[in-house]
Amino acid sequence: MCRNITELRGLEPAATSEEVEAAARQYVRKVSGITRPSGGNVEAFEIAVAEVTATTERLLAGLQPRRQPPKSVPPLRRPEVRARLGLG
């Protein structure tokens, strides 16, 4: 699991819903200490991911544009990660 949450503000093109959800999932994994929820934890985990995703989308929509792009490329824009996940 990555130690840093990916910056999504200022991406060109703008962050996709898929990228926002991936960042939310990364955050929930980190704070919960659960990489793959099972049993009774699945529902609480997925609700948290959905809530963090929605909050992140509202945050990004409300912020002023960035003057410079983020220092790193989000994982879902990296060819090696997309290939590993079967996304292209």
Side-chain angles (χ1 to χ4, degrees), residues 26-41:
Q26 183 181 23
Y27 172 79
V28 172
R29 283 178 179 156
K30 187 66 167 183
V31 299
S32 69
I34 299 172
T35 303
R36 292 185 186 93
S38 61
N41 294 328

Side-chain angles (χ1 to χ4, degrees), residues 62-80:
L63 293 173
Q64 295 294 314
R66 264 181 99 130
R67 293 182 188 187
Q68 297 180 343
K71 295 176 184 170
S72 63
V73 177
L76 294 180
R77 294 190 183 194
R78 297 179 198 149
E80 67 277 10

Side-chain angles (χ1 to χ4, degrees), residues 6 15-16 20 23 27 34 38 42 44 51 53-54 58 61 65 72-73 81 86:
T6 303
T16 64
V20 173
Y27 172 79
I34 299 172
S38 61
V42 173
E51 289 174 352
T53 298
R58 284 192 304 273
S72 63
V73 177
V81 174

